[in-house]
Amino acid sequence: MKMRNHTPVTVFLLMGISHTKELENVLFFLFLTCYLLTVLGNLLILLTILSSSNLHVPMYFFLGNLSVFDIFFPSVNSPKMMLSLMGQSRTISYQGCASQVFFYHFLGCTECFLYTVMAYDRFAAICHPLRYTVIMNHRVCSIMTLGTWMGSCLHASVLTFLVFKLPYCGPNEVNNFFCDIPVVLPLACADTSLAQTVSFTNVGVVALMCFLLILTSYIRIVISILKITSSEGRRRAFSTCSAHLTSILLFYGPVFLTYLRPVSSSWLDSAVSVLNNIVTPFLNPLIYTLRNKDVKLSLRKALIQGVHTCGA
């Protein structure tokens, strides 16, 4: 397809999701409530982990990283989404749109890698309990975390470069509340086949690779748990993995629906992106506090100490 001779796009218009015009006030209240509770919940978990010495172990080190992610991830797009719902300017600059795409995929890939590392941590704890502190020592945890963030940065940089090196010369209406590859790429006025192929392959390979590693870890975990003779021991082992498994299902469902379907639906892509951007980070603090006795006890102690400090 030949490039059309038009003025380059300098701003994009965020049109939101179709058929939601009458629901903008409701959506604004819902998004604002979820966003504030998400930041508060994850901040409480992060501060609890930092302040509780009994939580200074690899499992909660990675959970703390996940809480940092769940604070930043909705902060990339939610403020602009809520401004649009309030009737403020729906425009976003070309650079702002590129930044949204980069950070959305940077943090999304980080979450994918984090879940994989957390699955390996559970594998080491349950399948090799006597060597757990050697396998998951401080150096290994630091290298895994650094690799997670650096690998995600490379992944997002490649995708953002391929999408925004293309010329955009109109139309400039993005059918979503924020910029993402499936809704921005069709607006390019040049051949998008390379960017589509690489983005589909890149996202697919990362998601599939992480999913297979997680699946392998949990197959080994289940085999080890079934060898435990005590029913109480099996129950405790399964309970340490339940929160992680729930978060994985919430994460991979939207990823597969958005990026790995052969037929694209703009409305479904937008709705699933909003779900992944708002709902999943909101639910993670609830999942990890309600299903984890250690976090609940430490959180209760931290809150009691905070009340006493404020009252003193």
Side-chain angles (χ1 to χ4, degrees), residues 149-211:
W149 291 92
M150 291 182 66
S152 301
C153 184
L154 176 63
H155 164 82
S157 298
V158 170
L159 294 184
T160 306
F161 171 76
L162 286 174
V163 172
F164 286 94
K165 80 179 183 69
L166 295 169
Y168 290 86
C169 42
N172 64 341
E173 295 181 349
V174 176
N175 292 319
N176 204 337
F177 288 113
F178 56 91
C179 294
D180 193 14
I181 293 173
V183 290
V184 172
L185 204 53
L187 302 178
C189 50
D191 184 12
T192 62
S193 57
L194 176 62
Q196 286 178 329
T197 302
V198 173
S199 62
F200 180 86
T201 304
N202 202 339
V203 173
V205 167
V206 169
L208 184 60
M209 178 185 67
C210 291
F211 181 77

Side-chain angles (χ1 to χ4, degrees), residues 107-124:
L107 293 168
C109 186
T110 299
E111 183 179 28
C112 190
F113 287 156
L114 270 176
Y115 284 139
T116 307
V117 170
M118 291 169 77
Y120 178 75
D121 172 71
R122 291 299 83 207
F123 159 75

Side-chain angles (χ1 to χ4, degrees), residues 146-310:
L146 183 61
T148 290
W149 291 92
M150 291 182 66
S152 301
C153 184
L154 176 63
H155 164 82
S157 298
V158 170
L159 294 184
T160 306
F161 171 76
L162 286 174
V163 172
F164 286 94
K165 80 179 183 69
L166 295 169
Y168 290 86
C169 42
N172 64 341
E173 295 181 349
V174 176
N175 292 319
N176 204 337
F177 288 113
F178 56 91
C179 294
D180 193 14
I181 293 173
V183 290
V184 172
L185 204 53
L187 302 178
C189 50
D191 184 12
T192 62
S193 57
L194 176 62
Q196 286 178 329
T197 302
V198 173
S199 62
F200 180 86
T201 304
N202 202 339
V203 173
V205 167
V206 169
L208 184 60
M209 178 185 67
C210 291
F211 181 77
L212 290 176
L213 289 172
I214 292 170
L215 184 62
T216 301
S217 295
Y218 272 100
I219 288 174
R220 296 288 303 274
I221 287 170
V222 169
I223 292 172
S224 295
I225 289 176
L226 292 177
K227 292 179 181 179
I228 299 175
T229 55
S230 166
S231 58
E232 175 65 19
R234 287 197 298 269
R235 187 193 65 79
R236 289 183 61 186
F238 273 120
S239 68
T240 63
C241 302
S242 59
H244 183 234
L245 283 171
T246 305
S247 294
I248 287 171
L249 292 174
L250 286 171
F251 171 74
Y252 272 99
V255 169
F256 287 136
L257 282 173
T258 303
Y259 299 101
L260 305 182
R261 288 180 294 110
V263 179
S264 179
S265 166
S266 60
W267 187 91
L268 182 60
D269 288 342
S270 300
V272 171
S273 295
V274 171
L275 174 71
N276 193 36
N277 191 72
I278 296 291
V279 178
T280 303
F282 166 69
L283 291 177
N284 273 343
L286 297 176
I287 293 168
Y288 280 99
T289 53
L290 294 177
R291 304 296 295 272
N292 192 302
K293 186 183 296 184
D294 291 335
V295 174
K296 282 194 292 186
L297 289 174
S298 297
L299 181 58
R300 189 179 296 117
K301 288 179 182 177
L303 289 175
I304 292 172
Q305 288 177 355
V307 170
H308 286 165
T309 301
C310 292

